[in-house]
Amino acid sequence: MPVPTSGSYAQGPSCFDRMKTGFGVGLCVGLASGALFGGFSALRYGIRGRELIQSVGKIMLQSGGTFGSFMAIGTGIRC
């Protein structure tokens, strides 16, 4: 198999791409943990029905956004 003689080497993802990936991973982890902890706490307080879905959804978005932001910042610091 011939070796390419030109100076073009494959480059890795840019720093912004890494930060987007870090945010996505953090968002997924935050959504999952928000669903678990928010669901258990809402059920403990006796919330049922539509209010349960709304409160768990709000907690999921808050924890996902927070953890995703921290993961993106941490990834940006490492670049």
Side-chain angles (χ1 to χ4, degrees), residues 21-36:
T21 303
F23 181 80
V25 169
L27 180 73
C28 291
V29 170
L31 288 174
S33 65
L36 287 174

Side-chain angles (χ1 to χ4, degrees), residues 18-77:
R18 289 182 186 179
M19 288 178 64
K20 286 192 299 186
T21 303
F23 181 80
V25 169
L27 180 73
C28 291
V29 170
L31 288 174
S33 65
L36 287 174
F37 295 127
F40 286 135
S41 66
L43 290 173
R44 186 178 350 154
Y45 290 126
I47 300 173
R48 298 283 189 260
R50 180 178 289 168
E51 190 178 2
L52 173 70
I53 300 299
Q54 289 175 349
S55 66
V56 171
K58 181 180 175 183
I59 292 171
M60 285 174 65
L61 288 177
Q62 286 177 345
S63 63
T66 302
F67 198 71
S69 298
F70 282 119
M71 286 287 289
I73 291 169
T75 306
I77 290 172

Side-chain angles (χ1 to χ4, degrees), residues 1-10:
M1 183 168 177
V3 177
T5 56
S6 65
S8 63
Y9 295 103

